[in-house]
Amino acid sequence: MIYFDNSATTRPLPAVLDTFNKVATDVWGNPSSLHKLGEPAWNLLEQARAQVAKLCGVKPGEIIFNSGGSEGDNAVIKGTAWAKRQYGKHIITSSVEHGAVANTMNELKELGFDITVLPVDSEGRVNPQDVAAAIRSDTILVSIMAVNNEIGAIQPINEIGKILQKYPKIHFHVDAVQAVGKGLDSMVFGPRVDFATFSGHKFHGLRGTGFVFHRAGRKLMPLVAGGGQEHNHRSGTENLAGDVALARALRLVKEREDENVQKELSIKHRIYQHLVGKPHVKVFSGDSDNPHFAPHVLTFAIVGVRGETIVHAFEEHGIYISTTSACASKKTDEAGTLVAMKVPDKEATSAVRVSLGDQNTLEEADQFNRVFDQLYAEFQKIIN
Ligand SMILES: Cc1ncc(COP(=O)(O)O)c(C=O)c1O
């Protein structure tokens, strides 16, 4: 099996599962309990928080554990909207955000918020000057992702941050779900970023775990009210075992980040070079030397063949890829990002995504390329 669908989810590491099991078995007390079962649970939770904070270069109080990327995006966007609605109802976002951001914006629009959705260029990137031009006196939030989940485009977060320096009251949220372990921390935790959202299962942690970087002093109204856990930001008895496992997963990813980025770049390069220039192939992501693209995502189309047909054809050879976004892939034929890039329908409906992880190898890239050649020859008959 070759697993090239790491942007959809990653395989939990055995060490991470061991940690989960051990904590769930041995430290099962409620961290809020005052008795002697509560104390070690509390200590372990705060240790995990401190470890995540250290790995991210932020303060422990700025890490809020939660259930993952969708919750984080909702919590920051709705939490800003509720907390700042008396100051303004204008929000700026991009046309290539994940559904967790885009659909949250749609909900707010229904409730009377004014949402400016910025266009992207042919690489799927926002122009920072468009952000500057969209800012109004009633703007309360700018929400732009770090790495696009459909084609891997890296958004100009630093440049947007520089523009926002002049507007200290506006919250700046970065969906960083696809950015972990990709050498992008200086951008994701840049000086003007107020909130960044993360998902454990994208870096070998467990489904249903995640965290928000919440810059000290920034106010959100909590999405989940209740017992006041997570420093009052996210109520609910903590998923201690999941949070400790997430901290371990993050440490393991960070330990080999540079090496992994280089490896993913070389795998991407090998496949990119194999695909590019073929008559019916359109590649949407950049090669390894293009700094506007993350190392792990390579999206292309065999134009004229439907994306799901390509996915299933590779699957028959034991290679797992996806249409452009796992969440959307069962619902729609078209990729939102490619549509926003004004890619013609025929190309967008043929798009598939290869998404790499630290466990992939160059040998797998070679095998992918061999299978590609075989399928491409077969597909020529449909295309012509
Ligand atoms: C960019 C981005 N944001 C948010 C999410 C949602 O994360 P989760 O699956 O943890 O809810 C995803 C998942 O694919 C994503 O790629």
Side-chain angles (χ1 to χ4, degrees):
M1 174 185 85
I2 297 179
Y3 186 70
F4 276 172
D5 198 12
N6 289 278
S7 286
T9 197
T10 56
R11 188 179 190 154
L13 288 171
V16 170
L17 290 168
D18 277 356
T19 298
F20 182 90
N21 264 328
K22 200 163 174 11
V23 175
T25 307
D26 297 345
V27 197
W28 50 267
N30 187 325
S32 303
S33 292
L34 294 180
H35 51 66
K36 70 176 186 199
L37 293 184
E39 196 185 319
W42 174 266
N43 291 342
L44 204 52
L45 180 68
E46 293 313 307
Q47 223 173 293
R49 193 187 312 284
Q51 188 175 24
V52 170
K54 192 167 177 209
L55 290 165
C56 297
V58 303
K59 299 183 203 116
E62 295 178 319
I63 299 296
I64 313 301
F65 288 120
N66 67 10
S67 72
S70 299
E71 183 190 324
D73 289 341
N74 273 264
V76 173
I77 297 166
K78 290 177 182 165
T80 296
W82 307 153
K84 289 172 101 54
R85 67 196 186 286
Q86 68 271 39
Y87 306 110
K89 290 194 162 184
H90 180 236
I91 296 175
I92 300 170
T93 189
S94 86
S95 49
V96 295
E97 298 297 315
H98 186 272
V101 169
N103 290 327
T104 304
M105 296 297 178
N106 291 339
E107 286 185 13
L108 289 180
K109 196 170 165 192
E110 290 289 310
L111 294 173
F113 286 81
D114 192 2
I115 316 291
T116 297
V117 182
L118 299 176
V120 291
D121 63 15
S122 60
E123 289 189 318
R125 301 179 82 233
V126 168
N127 181 344
Q129 287 318 314
D130 288 347
V131 177
I135 293 171
R136 311 191 315 212
S137 58
D138 60 342
T139 304
I140 52 171
L141 170 68
V142 173
S143 176
I144 306 283
M145 71 201 321
V147 173
N148 177 265
N149 48 299
E150 293 181 38
I151 64 159
I154 301 175
Q155 297 298 340
I157 299 300
N158 289 337
E159 290 79 354
I160 296 169
K162 274 187 204 132
I163 289 164
L164 290 176
Q165 294 286 13
K166 279 187 270 163
Y167 305 93
K169 290 197 173 133
I170 298 176
H171 282 183
F172 185 20
H173 166 234
V174 174
D175 175 336
V177 167
Q178 294 290 341
V180 176
K182 308 303 173 191
L184 297 171
D185 276 8
S186 63
M187 177 182 105
V188 166
F189 299 102
R192 185 56 185 82
V193 174
D194 297 310
F195 302 95
T197 37
F198 300 88
S199 173
H201 75 98
K202 307 288 185 182
F203 54 90
H204 305 294
L206 295 166
R207 226 64 65 74
T209 65
F211 66 98
V212 174
F213 158 62
H214 179 148
R215 190 174 293 284
R218 290 305 206 178
K219 279 211 174 62
L220 295 181
M221 189 173 278
L223 191 64
V224 186
Q229 288 89 345
E230 295 297 305
H231 305 288
N232 266 327
H233 293 303
R234 197 261 190 179
S235 288
T237 302
E238 302 88 341
N239 177 5
L240 176 64
D243 298 341
V244 177
L246 176 146
R248 183 152 195 204
L250 190 61
R251 178 166 64 76
L252 293 172
V253 164
K254 290 276 161 205
E255 269 171 12
R256 296 178 46 216
E257 183 165 16
D258 295 346
E259 185 191 324
N260 288 335
V261 165
Q262 289 316 314
K263 188 165 78 159
E264 289 173 14
L265 282 172
S266 60
I267 298 172
K268 177 167 91 155
H269 179 66
R270 191 161 293 183
I271 299 175
Y272 183 100
Q273 286 302 322
H274 191 76
L275 300 179
V276 79
K278 295 218 167 22
H280 296 287
V281 175
K282 179 83 207 264
V283 185
F284 302 106
S285 310
D287 197 357
S288 48
D289 58 353
N290 184 335
H292 294 164
F293 286 88
H296 62 302
V297 184
L298 178 56
T299 295
F300 68 95
I302 303 177
V303 182
V305 184
R306 295 188 79 80
E308 59 268 35
T309 307
I310 303 172
V311 167
H312 290 309
F314 272 100
E315 186 181 3
E316 299 220 331
H317 292 265
I319 298 176
Y320 296 92
I321 60 172
S322 74
T323 48
T324 46
S325 157
C327 328
S329 61
K330 290 213 173 112
K331 287 187 230 132
T332 162
D333 290 324
E334 274 181 11
T337 298
L338 297 177
V339 171
M341 287 160 63
K342 301 199 168 59
V343 167
D345 269 9
K346 199 174 173 200
E347 293 179 9
T349 51
S350 295
V352 289
R353 177 185 71 185
V354 167
S355 53
L356 308 168
D358 49 10
Q359 297 176 341
N360 292 127
T361 63
L362 277 170
E363 290 69 38
E364 289 178 334
D366 292 335
Q367 173 65 5
F368 176 92
N369 289 344
R370 280 191 291 273
V371 170
F372 174 86
D373 287 344
Q374 194 181 324
L375 296 177
Y376 187 62
E378 288 166 20
F379 285 141
Q380 303 274 348
K381 295 172 205 150
I382 312 178
I383 300 166
N384 294 317

